[in-house]
């Protein structure tokens, strides 16, 4: 019996590998988009632009996870990466945007609102620099077609460097830029010494806060095989879900 199983181990290994790839596919897609942007940002002048990836800062006990930050004399660029394809429809003030693939429509949390929330968390942590300028940018990395109405940049990845370099008005000195960069390195991922009591899942939903207890992003209503549920807007990096009803 054991020998028969051993004869088929290549097939078993192949099936297991395919299953693992299918299971991890959403996560791998998200990381692929972020690494694409990381590679593009390598082409910025390192003496002028200080790049930070996957920055986590806390504000009011909630963590904001920022894909990419660029600290420069022109201000701070806050980049939210979306690795979506298909037609993307949305507006600056809408709560949710739509992704249309053939006859299928999917909703996801407005990345502009998400990015502006990240800026609020940054402003709270960098409150000693009240005159600092922040520039939110939403970048799509896959074969998507953008139909978005926004005063903030919502762009494809190949316009990213041009968008960053279009800001030419100096906002801070090199010394302050380096101080901000070093401060962000220090606080990245570190919880404040005093944090509020951690709320339960029911507290977040019953109080209509709609905040993910895992990562601090917004919970949005989604539909699945078994009906509607609340899911984290930062999926696939965060897989928190909560059944409705």
């Amino acid at each position: 019996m054991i020998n028969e199983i051993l004869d088929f181990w290549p097939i078993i290994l192949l099936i297991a590998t395919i299953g693992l790839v299918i299971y991890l596919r959403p996560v791998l897609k998200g990381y692929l988009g972020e690494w694409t942007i990381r590679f593009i940002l390598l082409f910025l002048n390192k003496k002028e632009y200080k790049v930070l990836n996957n920055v986590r800062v806390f504000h009011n006990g909630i963590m904001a996870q920022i894909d990419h930050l660029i600290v420069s004399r022109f201000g701070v660029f806050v980049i939210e990466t979306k690795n979506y394809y298909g037609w993307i429809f949305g507006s600056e003030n809408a709560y949710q945007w739509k992704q249309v693939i053939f006859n299928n429509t999917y909703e996801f949390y407005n990345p502009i609102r998400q990015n502006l929330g990240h800026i609020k968390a940054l402003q709270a942590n960098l409150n000693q620099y009240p005159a600092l300028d922040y520039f939110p940018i939403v970048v799509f990395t896959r074969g998507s077609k953008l139909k978005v109405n926004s005063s903030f940049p919502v762009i494809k990845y190949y316009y990213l460097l041009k968008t960053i370099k279009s800001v030419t008005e100096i906002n801070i000195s090199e010394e302050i830029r380096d101080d901000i960069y070093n401060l962000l390195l220090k606080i990245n991922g570190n919880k404040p010494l005093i944090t509020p009591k951690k709320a339960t899942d029911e507290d977040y939903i019953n109080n209509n806060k709609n905040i993910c207890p895992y990562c601090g992003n917004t919970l949005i209503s989604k539909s699945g095989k078994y009906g509607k549920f609340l899911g984290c807007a930062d999926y696939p990096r965060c897989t928190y879900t909560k059944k409705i009803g």
Side-chain angles (χ1 to χ4, degrees):
M1 179 67 176
I2 295 178
N3 290 333
E4 292 178 356
I5 294 176
L6 291 177
D7 289 338
F8 288 98
W9 75 264
I11 298 176
I12 296 174
L13 180 61
L14 177 62
I15 294 174
T17 302
I18 293 174
L20 182 62
V21 170
I22 293 174
Y23 178 76
L24 295 176
R25 187 178 178 185
V27 178
L28 293 175
K29 285 181 179 179
Y31 282 119
L32 178 62
E34 289 188 25
W35 279 99
T36 299
I37 300 304
R38 288 192 185 203
F39 177 74
I40 291 174
L41 295 179
L42 291 175
F43 292 91
L44 287 172
N45 185 333
K46 294 179 177 58
K47 293 182 179 180
E48 187 66 66
Y49 301 93
K50 306 294 184 180
V51 179
L52 289 161
N53 299 298
N54 192 26
V55 179
R56 294 170 297 161
V57 295
F58 288 82
H59 176 49
N60 289 337
I62 300 299
M63 182 185 72
Q65 186 171 4
I66 305 166
D67 293 336
H68 313 278
L69 271 181
I70 303 170
V71 186
S72 72
R73 291 186 301 155
F74 315 109
V76 176
F77 298 88
V78 186
I79 301 174
E80 176 66 26
T81 303
K82 295 299 179 186
N83 195 37
Y84 293 169
Y85 64 97
W87 292 81
I88 306 297
F89 296 91
S91 63
E92 181 177 320
N93 298 317
Y95 185 75
Q96 290 183 327
W97 287 8
K98 291 183 179 181
Q99 176 192 29
V100 179
I101 305 173
F102 298 108
N103 293 324
N104 299 314
T105 300
Y106 308 93
E107 293 183 334
F108 61 99
Y109 183 55
N110 181 345
I112 294 177
R113 293 169 64 105
Q114 184 178 2
N115 215 15
L116 293 178
H118 294 164
I119 289 178
K120 287 184 179 180
L122 284 171
Q123 289 174 327
N125 283 272
L126 301 175
N127 56 12
Q128 62 267 53
Y129 307 102
L132 182 62
D133 288 337
Y134 296 85
F135 303 98
I137 304 175
V138 177
V139 184
F140 284 79
T141 59
R142 300 186 69 188
S144 55
K145 295 184 179 181
L146 305 179
K147 300 294 182 181
V148 176
N149 181 19
S150 170
S151 60
F152 299 104
V154 180
I155 59 175
K156 298 297 292 294
Y157 62 94
Y158 39 77
Y159 290 122
L160 179 57
L161 294 182
K162 181 179 179 181
T163 301
I164 294 171
K165 293 179 180 180
S166 68
V167 181
T168 57
E169 183 176 347
I170 293 178
N171 176 231
I172 54 177
S173 66
E174 290 186 6
E175 182 180 2
I176 293 178
R177 176 201 63 191
D178 293 343
D179 287 344
I180 293 172
Y181 175 74
N182 291 326
L183 176 59
L184 289 171
L185 284 176
K186 183 178 180 180
I187 67 175
N188 184 14
N190 294 325
K191 292 184 178 181
L193 295 177
I194 301 175
T195 57
K197 175 182 176 293
K198 181 178 176 62
T200 64
D201 296 355
E202 288 74 20
D203 290 334
Y204 281 108
I205 294 171
N206 292 337
N207 293 333
N208 294 319
K209 292 184 178 180
N210 289 332
I211 297 175
C212 175
Y214 285 10
C215 68
N217 278 294
T218 303
L219 293 176
I220 59 176
S221 177
K222 298 183 178 182
S223 297
K225 182 178 180 181
Y226 301 104
K228 289 189 174 182
F229 63 95
L230 292 176
C232 182
D234 203 28
Y235 178 84
R237 284 180 302 181
C238 178
T239 57
Y240 175 82
T241 60
K242 177 71 177 181
K243 292 182 179 179
I244 297 178

